[in-house]
Amino acid sequence: MRTRDWPIRSKLTALVVVPVTALLALWIFATTLTFGPALDLLSARTLLYDLGRPGEVVVTELQRERRLSVVQLAGTTRLPVLAEQRERTDRAIAELRRRVDGEALRDAANDALEARIDHLVTALAALPAGRTFIDDRSLDRSGAVGLYSGMVTAAFQAFSAMATLNDPDLNRQALALTALGRSRELLGQGDALLAGALSAGRFAEGEHTQLVQAIGNQRWLTDSAVADLPAADRAAYQRLAEGEAFTRLRTMQDALVVANRSGRPPVDAAAWQTSHDAVQQQLRDFELAEADGLTDRSVPMAVRILARLAAAGVLGLVAVVVSVLVALRLGRTLAQRLTGVRTAALELAEHRLPDVVARLRRGEQVDVAREAPPLEYGHDEIGEVGRAFTEVQRTAVQAAVDEVALRRGLNEVFLNIARRSQSLVHRQLHLLDRMERRAEDPDELAELFQVDHLATRLRRHAEDLVILAGSAPGRGWRNPVAMVDLIRGAISEVEAYDRVDIAGAQPAGVLGRAVGDVIHLLAELVENATAFSPPDTRVTVTGERVANGYALEITDQGLGMSAAALETANTRLASSPEFDPAQSARLGLFVVARLAARHGVRVRLRPSEQGGVTAVVLIPADLVTAEPPAGPDPATLPAASADPARRLARTARRGAVPRTRPPTAPRADAAPSAPPTEAPTSGGGPGDAGSAADDELDGLPRRVRRRTPAAAQPRSTVTETPAPRSPEEVRRVMAALQAGTARGRATVTTPAAPAVPPGPAAPASPATPPEPPTATERDA
């Protein structure tokens, strides 16, 4: 049992309950020890009147029936008086059984007495069978004496079990009275033996010896019993024993002791009978009187014991109650004070400190002394704990103030660095855009495309710092943007863009205010999918309208994540926690969570059927619109730039028609890049990334390197400011160029295919790898 983990209230309760319970147990034990003897004394009257008196009557009737039975066995005829005596004996036994079966006697008797009573009832049950043996003369006189003596002995054993009083004097007197009753029984046994001998005219074999033994035992028991009586009762017995009947009976007993063992008893039958009956009656009356006196003395003694018990019980109960009240009061006081300290601690940890941090983050000023008031809990140990905790509160609040100040400073540093990097990257992208438009050399153009792609990724990483610092990126759109263009923009910001397939995207648009953040969010998820999957596997992006908005799924074929890792990641994505520098390995999840929380976008990760992970992005319905019409619309361009060159690039991209890749052999002079004004189509699926022939763009002519002498191939000069064209003219030129190139390739490699009219871009064949978009397309 680990008591260290118990609550304070439970420990205090244990401190109160254990001693109080011990005190209460001692009080109950002492009360029981005293109350038991008092009950025994009170039950003495019940035992006397329900067992002693009826039992004594049964013993007397059995002694009389025994004498008559022996006389009948000594003669030759049945005695009518024996039948009458048997009826009296049966009535006495019936009354005894009625009394011993009562609840009062059973409640007052202990286990030993109940066993003796059951033995007596069992012995009396054998009386009818014994009578039958006597009537059939199957028993001799000694056997008849033994039969009745056994029943009487069982009765006296029950009487002895009654003498269990806790008062020594009363108990000794009760045992003395029982011994007097046994001596009277021995006198009755001698009378039965002598009556049989007188009726037969002589002693039977062994009868004289039995008579002498009975006389000797009777005198010994009488002397020992009288010695245990109180002085007054002993004197009363001495006066009784000096009477004429006792003297005559003692004289005749002396004569019987020295008589001939086989001759006629030397006493007169009438004189013996008269003296014996008188002594028996006087002894019986003495025993009954002594028993009544014993009962009368036990009741007042029991009352006195109960009175003392009541006084002691009341005082003990008062002591227990006072102890309980004092313990409860002290325990409640300690518990309340400790609970106050605990409440203050929890208030600081769960409410006050987070509120201080939240206010500090909102830019409010915080008074440390006011937010950590002193805790007053007295001057004892608990008060010292309260004062110590006051210092802990002040230190914690001050630490929170310092931490928030430090975090705010770090955020400002991050934001400053990010803004500077953003500015440089935007200038670099504009410069690359101009260089790509002027470039004619295929190698130089391919390298410019690579630099363009790296700069685009660098811009996204700079925006990560802005987002983590709590600000919004500078890119913005005024009008909705098509969902397929948004997906293309996200793919273009990923390093392994050639491994990403757009498996299908239902037409839809996204409001301009959320375009930049959604592109960034999708780019982070796509980059995670490519980074945590083998390089020879594909990453697919699908999109469809659902009841609550627009759902995008990004699925990789990597090793996947464990259930615990998925749960942790989903919790982080749903709650948008504060950025923890200690978990910089999961930087993308923090950025995604921030962007999703800003627009109410729901992002959740789940296992995919291919063994990897599927990221589900649910754009809410209030951000989803119908797909905007294709065409150069300056309003759809970022607010930072809407020059004609960018509009031209967007028009050309929207007019592009996807094409299947021709199965041609790899060419050493194939260019790895597309013209600077073109972008990936809506569904360009990658093929073999290692083949040089795969580096072509859907729907656009492939730029071929040509190695010619410098004199024969002069480098064309491009003016810094080309002549502007109208959007409609640019659209017609680019669409015609695209359609013609497609027809030319189909004629060379495959049977002729019908031309596709210009229009919104459609999903491309999975065999066509995308090229990295230009800076112009990034900003679009």
Side-chain angles (χ1 to χ4, degrees):
M1 181 173 58
R2 296 178 56 85
T3 57
R4 293 181 56 186
D5 299 332
W6 288 9
I8 293 296
R9 188 175 298 275
S10 299
K11 293 179 180 179
L12 294 176
T13 302
L15 290 176
V16 172
V17 169
V18 171
V20 170
T21 302
L23 180 60
L24 184 61
L26 289 175
W27 175 75
I28 294 175
F29 180 71
T31 303
T32 303
L33 288 181
T34 309
F35 191 66
L39 289 181
D40 292 340
L41 292 174
L42 290 177
S43 63
R45 180 179 293 273
T46 301
L47 296 177
L48 175 62
Y49 288 103
D50 286 350
L51 178 60
R53 290 293 175 84
E56 192 276 333
V57 173
V58 170
V59 168
T60 301
E61 298 300 333
L62 287 174
Q63 290 172 346
R64 292 171 181 172
E65 183 177 340
R66 177 179 57 190
R67 184 178 187 280
L68 293 175
S69 298
V70 173
V71 171
Q72 178 176 293
L73 289 175
T76 57
T77 61
R78 290 190 177 186
L79 299 178
V81 68
L82 177 58
E84 297 175 0
Q85 179 59 43
R86 287 178 176 177
E87 293 178 358
R88 289 192 295 270
T89 303
D90 291 340
R91 288 195 294 270
I93 292 174
E95 177 64 17
L96 176 64
R97 286 178 175 173
R98 187 182 67 83
R99 293 292 185 92
V100 298
D101 290 338
E103 294 183 359
L105 178 61
R106 294 292 181 177
D107 293 339
N110 54 25
D111 295 339
L113 180 56
E114 287 188 358
R116 299 287 179 86
I117 292 174
D118 294 338
H119 178 64
L120 172 59
V121 173
T122 303
L124 293 176
L127 181 58
R131 288 172 178 174
T132 302
F133 291 146
I134 292 172
D135 293 339
D136 295 340
R137 295 185 180 273
S138 299
L139 292 176
D140 56 5
R141 290 177 299 187
S142 297
V145 172
L147 172 66
Y148 286 96
S149 298
M151 299 177 189
V152 174
T153 300
F156 277 104
Q157 289 176 351
F159 298 158
S160 298
M162 292 170 54
T164 57
L165 303 177
N166 291 317
D167 185 79
D169 296 333
L170 293 179
N171 198 56
R172 185 170 58 253
Q173 185 177 355
L175 292 175
L177 291 178
T178 303
L180 282 177
R182 288 179 178 275
S183 68
R184 187 163 58 87
E185 158 60 14
L186 292 173
L187 181 61
Q189 291 181 14
D191 175 61
L193 291 172
L194 184 59
L198 290 174
S199 299
R202 57 184 292 275
F203 286 109
E205 183 179 358
E207 284 185 345
H208 183 268
T209 302
Q210 293 180 9
L211 178 60
V212 172
Q213 290 176 351
I215 293 173
N217 291 335
Q218 181 261 328
R219 290 180 178 181
W220 181 82
L221 278 176
T222 300
D223 293 340
S224 61
V226 171
D228 290 335
L229 291 175
D233 298 336
R234 189 164 56 248
Y237 182 81
Q238 292 297 335
R239 289 191 299 270
L240 183 65
E242 292 173 358
E244 181 182 358
F246 277 84
T247 303
R248 287 199 307 268
L249 183 63
R250 190 177 299 109
T251 301
M252 287 185 285
Q253 286 179 338
D254 294 339
L256 289 172
V257 170
V258 298
N260 187 1
R261 295 183 178 182
S262 59
R264 181 178 178 81
V267 294
D268 181 64
W272 170 267
Q273 188 66 38
T274 301
S275 299
H276 174 268
D277 292 344
V279 171
Q280 279 279 6
Q281 188 62 39
Q282 290 176 12
L283 288 175
R284 183 185 180 194
D285 293 341
F286 179 81
E287 292 172 13
L288 294 177
E290 289 296 320
D292 290 338
L294 180 65
T295 304
D296 294 338
R297 287 196 300 274
S298 65
V299 173
M301 185 176 295
V303 172
R304 288 194 299 272
I305 293 175
L306 290 177
R308 292 196 300 269
L309 175 63
V314 170
L315 292 177
L317 185 60
V318 170
V320 171
V321 171
V322 170
S323 300
V324 171
L325 292 178
V326 171
L328 288 178
R329 182 176 180 82
L330 293 177
R332 186 181 297 110
T333 302
L334 291 175
Q336 289 176 351
R337 296 173 66 191
L338 292 173
T339 302
V341 175
R342 185 195 66 177
T343 303
L346 293 178
E347 177 69 19
L348 174 66
E350 296 178 358
H351 301 287
R352 188 178 301 169
L353 197 58
D355 181 65
V356 169
V357 174
R359 289 161 53 192
L360 289 172
R361 288 176 179 173
R362 292 195 299 267
E364 301 179 10
Q365 296 296 326
V366 174
D367 185 2
V368 177
R370 182 173 177 272
E371 296 299 332
L375 302 177
E376 296 295 337
Y377 291 99
H379 300 284
D380 57 356
E381 289 80 359
I382 297 179
E384 293 177 359
V385 172
R387 288 189 292 273
F389 187 72
T390 300
E391 297 300 324
V392 172
Q393 280 185 318
R394 292 176 180 175
T395 304
V397 174
Q398 185 63 47
V401 172
D402 297 341
E403 180 183 356
V404 171
L406 177 61
R407 187 183 293 269
R408 185 184 298 127
L410 289 177
N411 287 342
E412 291 176 356
V413 171
F414 289 160
L415 186 60
N416 188 13
I417 295 174
R419 292 300 188 192
R420 292 182 180 182
S421 299
Q422 274 189 311
S423 176
L424 294 176
V425 170
H426 279 296
R427 293 170 60 186
Q428 180 182 9
L429 289 174
H430 288 306
L431 178 60
L432 288 172
D433 189 30
R434 290 195 302 271
M435 295 175 66
E436 289 169 359
R437 287 199 301 269
R438 292 195 302 266
E440 291 294 335
D441 182 35
D443 293 336
E444 180 182 354
L445 187 60
E447 293 175 354
L448 288 175
F449 281 168
Q450 293 179 1
V451 175
D452 186 307
H453 183 55
L454 293 175
T456 303
R457 292 172 54 204
L458 182 62
R459 179 182 61 184
R460 178 164 61 84
H461 293 324
E463 289 180 352
D464 288 346
L465 292 178
V466 175
I467 294 170
L468 293 177
S471 299
R475 289 189 294 169
W477 277 256
R478 289 189 296 271
N479 289 343
V481 175
M483 189 66 68
V484 66
D485 293 335
L486 188 144
I487 298 174
R488 290 175 185 151
I491 296 175
S492 68
E493 296 187 5
V494 177
E495 179 180 6
Y497 62 88
D498 56 342
R499 291 175 49 206
V500 184
D501 300 335
I502 302 179
Q506 294 182 357
V510 177
L511 292 180
R513 59 185 173 87
V515 169
D517 291 341
V518 174
I519 290 176
H520 196 143
L521 184 150
L522 293 177
E524 293 289 346
L525 295 176
V526 171
E527 187 166 50
N528 281 346
T530 58
F532 293 99
S533 61
D536 57 346
T537 59
R538 312 299 301 172
V539 175
T540 60
V541 182
T542 60
E544 62 178 348
R545 279 185 175 273
V546 293
N548 298 328
Y550 196 92
L552 293 166
E553 293 187 0
I554 302 169
T555 304
D556 62 57
Q557 300 179 20
L559 299 178
M561 300 172 64
S562 63
L566 283 175
E567 183 178 359
T568 302
N570 287 327
T571 302
R572 185 173 300 168
L573 291 172
S575 59
S576 181
E578 292 292 330
F579 172 62
D580 185 3
Q583 298 186 5
S584 58
R586 301 293 183 180
L587 182 64
L589 292 181
F590 284 103
V591 174
V592 170
R594 288 282 183 88
L595 294 174
R598 182 177 300 169
H599 299 286
V601 177
R602 293 168 55 188
V603 181
R604 186 168 183 82
L605 305 181
R606 69 185 184 190
S608 67
E609 297 179 356
Q610 292 81 7
V613 176
T614 297
V616 181
V617 180
L618 179 61
I619 302 175
D622 57 349
L623 297 180
V624 179
T625 64
E627 184 177 49
D633 185 2
T636 63
L637 297 177
S641 174
D643 56 282
R646 298 184 183 274
R647 290 195 295 270
L648 175 63
R650 182 171 183 83
T651 302
R653 177 172 53 80
R654 290 198 172 230
V657 179
R659 285 288 181 181
T660 59
R661 178 183 300 135
T664 58
R667 297 175 53 179
D669 58 349
S673 305
T677 58
E678 294 300 321
T681 61
S682 64
D688 186 1
S691 175
D694 293 339
D695 295 334
E696 63 181 35
L697 196 66
D698 285 345
L700 294 178
R702 183 176 56 192
R703 196 183 289 269
V704 181
R705 296 187 183 94
R706 298 185 182 276
R707 301 293 182 180
T708 56
Q713 186 70 21
R715 184 178 183 88
S716 62
T717 59
V718 181
T719 61
E720 186 67 19
T721 55
R725 296 181 182 182
S726 65
E728 291 76 6
E729 183 180 0
V730 172
R731 178 183 178 84
R732 286 195 301 272
V733 170
M734 296 305 298
L737 175 62
Q738 198 171 23
T741 303
R743 285 194 299 272
R745 289 181 179 175
T747 303
V748 175
T749 60
T750 60
V756 181
S765 170
T768 307
E771 286 291 341
T774 64
T776 304
E777 294 162 354
R778 292 284 187 270
D779 292 335

